[in-house]
Amino acid sequence: MAKPLQGHSARKRFGQNFLVDDDYIDRIIEQIAAHPDDHIVEIGPGLGAITQRLLPPNCKTLTAIEIDNDLVERLKNQHDDQITIVHSDVLNVDFAELAKRMSPAGDGSAPSMKIVGNLPYNISSPLLFHLSRFMPSISEIHVMLQKEMAQRIYAESGTKHYGRLSVMMQYHFDVALGFHLPPGAFHPPPKVDSSFIELHPRQSISLVCDDIELMSAVVNEAFQQRRKTLRNTLKNRLKDEDFEQLAIDPSQRPDALCVDDYVRISNYLSAQQHNL
Ligand code: SAM
């Protein structure tokens, strides 16, 4: 049975591993570097280890999105006058709407939000894809991830961790590793190491993708069998003459291509679809 935390029993189904190590909490707060003008959205505030260090006036507005009834009640009791609490599954939250509601004049102009969170690891990947749909509303993201997943996000092409997540996340974001945390920084301790990372929406994208869903499908197919060549994995989409047009060697494996190569492939396919 889980040990009580301020009388709360950690719920496994919500991925509740609460931060309990003050040194690591300090480092997280340092990395987030809240500014009095910031609009911060915290995902999964839990028992408030990060929340209480971000409260206004450390930032302009603090919004907390929490799924667990009991934790929502606690937050309301403790901080109702200081934060906006959204009782919801974060995957159902429309971040563009959330930003609009923060508009000081209520005139529909939306400020850019800083997103922070020590997330349940089982939703990290869907959450990052969900957030990537709201880029104009987001200025930066600071998240805790399973170390192995963080490695996949910032992996460079040609390395063993490089895959679908690296390509799709690096298309949207500049990624920086903050630091790693051992299981003992949490209670109850998770079975894996964790990493706190920082993602910034890319300001200037050299090559813009025309159809992100198509790119995602192509990257997915390419990496489904990562030891096979592109000629093999993408055979239903590209012939040798197409690879020649793209100046991409089809005998390479999917991890040899950089993000822009995948953008070029999907833009090429998108143009072909429009010319049919
Ligand atoms: N931030 C706290 C901390 O660092 O101690 C809690 C972290 S705990 C790993 C994850 C938090 O996310 C829990 O409070 C959990 O209830 C909440 N949570 C889990 N799934 C969620 C979801 N789909 N939407 C919103 N919150 C969620």
Side-chain angles (χ1 to χ4, degrees):
M1 210 184 90
K3 274 197 208 157
L5 288 146
Q6 300 169 37
H8 176 78
S9 286
R11 296 196 163 96
K12 218 172 177 180
R13 72 175 184 285
F14 293 144
Q16 291 179 352
N17 302 97
F18 298 99
L19 273 162
V20 288
D21 185 313
D22 286 338
D23 290 341
Y24 283 110
I25 295 172
D26 285 349
R27 290 181 72 179
I28 287 168
I29 298 301
E30 211 171 286
Q31 182 180 307
I32 295 169
H35 185 276
D37 286 338
D38 282 345
H39 293 276
I40 299 186
V41 178
E42 186 186 2
I43 301 167
L47 294 165
I50 304 174
T51 326
Q52 55 199 345
R53 303 277 300 271
L54 297 176
L55 294 170
N58 294 308
C59 66
K60 193 162 202 161
T61 66
L62 178 57
T63 303
I65 304 172
E66 176 58 63
I67 198 170
D68 184 318
N69 276 330
D70 294 348
L71 294 176
V72 166
E73 282 313 308
R74 263 171 196 270
L75 284 166
K76 280 186 183 160
N77 290 336
Q78 289 170 352
H79 304 297
D80 205 18
D81 50 340
Q82 293 159 298
I83 63 180
T84 303
I85 300 165
V86 179
H87 183 188
S88 170
D89 180 339
V90 64
L91 297 176
N92 296 330
V93 172
D94 181 333
F95 281 80
E97 271 306 311
L98 208 60
K100 268 193 218 156
R101 276 192 257 148
M102 289 170 193
S103 155
D107 58 3
S109 64
S112 190
M113 301 174 293
K114 220 177 211 185
I115 312 287
V116 308
N118 169 16
L119 314 172
Y121 296 151
N122 58 339
I123 64 156
S124 312
S125 173
L127 176 67
L128 290 175
F129 279 102
H130 183 64
L131 291 176
S132 71
R133 298 190 191 107
F134 301 102
M135 296 303 253
S137 310
I138 295 173
S139 61
E140 54 197 82
I141 303 175
H142 298 265
V143 281
M144 186 81 69
L145 300 172
Q146 188 171 335
K147 182 177 174 185
E148 188 263 332
M149 183 180 205
Q151 284 171 326
R152 287 198 278 137
I153 289 178
Y154 59 75
E156 288 176 14
S157 61
T159 63
K160 74 171 180 183
H161 291 296
Y162 186 73
R164 172 173 180 256
L165 201 60
S166 335
V167 175
M168 297 311 295
M169 287 298 120
Q170 289 173 27
Y171 173 70
H172 291 295
F173 301 106
D174 288 321
V175 186
L177 168 69
F179 51 93
H180 301 300
L181 299 89
F186 307 85
H187 185 83
K191 290 197 172 65
V192 291
D193 284 332
S194 305
S195 304
F196 198 61
I197 70 164
E198 189 169 340
L199 301 110
H200 293 258
R202 280 171 66 193
Q203 292 303 320
S204 54
I205 296 188
S206 49
L207 196 57
V208 177
C209 175
D210 297 333
D211 182 343
I212 198 74
E213 297 301 329
L214 177 59
M215 175 166 156
S216 180
V218 168
V219 174
N220 206 15
E221 284 167 34
F223 281 98
Q224 219 138 49
Q225 291 165 293
R226 58 181 298 136
R227 302 196 63 75
K228 295 205 168 163
T229 64
L230 294 163
R231 179 183 285 117
N232 200 311
T233 53
L234 297 180
K235 64 175 182 281
N236 293 333
R237 294 189 185 269
L238 297 167
K239 306 267 170 279
D240 270 8
E241 47 272 33
D242 297 315
F243 281 111
E244 210 170 298
Q245 289 268 332
L246 285 158
I248 290 175
D249 176 358
S251 68
Q252 296 177 101
R253 288 180 179 161
D255 64 353
L257 302 199
C258 66
V259 176
D260 277 358
D261 289 332
Y262 283 106
V263 177
R264 289 194 302 113
I265 292 177
S266 68
N267 285 357
Y268 177 87
L269 292 170
S270 170
Q272 276 186 340
Q273 284 174 3
H274 286 106
N275 288 338
L276 282 180

